[in-house]
Amino acid sequence: MDKRLKAITEAAGYVRKVLDGSSLNPLVGIVLGSGLGKLADKIQNPVTIPYKDIPGFPVSTAIGHKGNFIAGTLGGKTVIAMQGRIHYYEGYGMDLVTLPIRVMAMVGIKYLFVSNAAGGINFDFRVGDLMIIKDHINLMPNPLIGPNIDELGPRFPDMTHPYNTALIQKAESIAQDLGIELREGVYIALTGPSYETPAEWHFFRSVGADAVGMSTVPEVIVARHNGIIVFGMSVITNAAQKTFSEDYMNDGHDVVKTADAAADSMTLLFTKLIETL
Ligand code: HPA
């Protein structure tokens, strides 16, 4: 067997065993971005599976990230949330960065909700805004490079509809009912860990990006390869600058603080959207 498939199967076997202990069959996987982990507190009858107990699993070292799967009920459906994601900049290869997605796919999720903290590129965006990810630009290594694992998906997966249009429309109408203001835009993914230079910011704007970050896209590519339906949301944690003053600094601690404040609206929106599935 392909050694990547063997690693996925082993890790999924462990997670499956724990879920079976509570008769849980998750329909929705949720990836919680920097500072957004508190959605997991809303999951009812939670079963915690620490990454460190899962065979072959990486452990997130990023600030604002714990390292657990939390399975249980949210919006009346069974979900499995990643409280803490694995970033490429931590030094893990793409197989490890996307292993949790492959595992959730193997235990049977049909939907993946991804979230992240992102920098604003669009001048209209304010700190704390929520942005539905309508599309992305990938400037990270593609996680599907290497021999294709035919058991999981096709060699050349379609990427014309990475983020599900029906879910986006439902989210727009739910947000309107709840009085939550939403932005929509294109997320551009970089490896990090250094933040962008002013010239890079201008470049990203000129190619059509609205927000920039260091995650999410590898997970979405792998989920789409696996045939999973994806919904994505960014919390804008720093605003685009027209000019950068001498004392301007892009600071990761602000990212976590701002995301935390927006997490309640995002949690409500995700919960209501999951109710419709
Ligand atoms: N750049 C990249 N990633 C980020 C940013 C940013 O400005 N803010 C939060 N994540």
Side-chain angles (χ1 to χ4, degrees), residues 197-214:
T197 65
E200 286 166 342
W201 242 307
H202 289 301
F203 171 60
F204 299 151
R205 186 174 307 112
S206 73
V207 295
D210 296 289
V212 57
M214 308 173 189

Side-chain angles (χ1 to χ4, degrees), residues 63-213:
I63 49 170
H65 288 259
K66 295 182 183 170
N68 301 306
F69 277 126
I70 316 271
T73 307
L74 188 74
K77 303 288 190 307
T78 305
V79 302
I80 180 164
M82 288 176 63
Q83 201 178 31
R85 63 147 55 85
I86 317 299
H87 300 82
Y88 188 65
Y89 65 71
E90 295 176 74
Y92 296 113
M94 279 298 178
D95 287 342
L96 282 176
V97 169
T98 58
L99 178 62
I101 309 299
R102 293 295 197 194
V103 166
M104 290 192 286
M106 201 167 269
V107 301
I109 63 161
K110 299 285 179 277
Y111 298 89
L112 183 71
F113 283 33
V114 290
S115 64
N116 60 52
I121 297 278
N122 187 319
F123 283 133
D124 294 337
F125 291 4
R126 297 285 161 263
V127 169
D129 280 355
L130 292 176
M131 181 192 92
I132 290 180
I133 306 174
K134 287 193 93 164
D135 202 345
H136 70 229
I137 297 170
N138 184 28
L139 296 183
M140 294 170 88
N142 194 299
L144 302 179
I145 289 172
N148 187 50
I149 308 177
D150 294 332
E151 293 88 334
L152 301 181
R155 169 74 293 186
F156 300 109
D158 172 57
M159 287 297 277
T160 48
H161 307 285
Y163 302 89
N164 185 262
T165 312
L167 285 180
I168 292 174
Q169 284 166 357
K170 274 199 231 176
E172 287 166 347
S173 105
I174 291 167
Q176 199 166 21
D177 291 348
L178 294 172
I180 296 173
E181 205 193 329
L182 284 185
R183 308 288 195 168
E184 294 187 356
V186 174
Y187 176 88
I188 191 164
L190 317 171
T191 66
S194 51
Y195 286 118
E196 301 69 46
T197 65
E200 286 166 342
W201 242 307
H202 289 301
F203 171 60
F204 299 151
R205 186 174 307 112
S206 73
V207 295
D210 296 289
V212 57

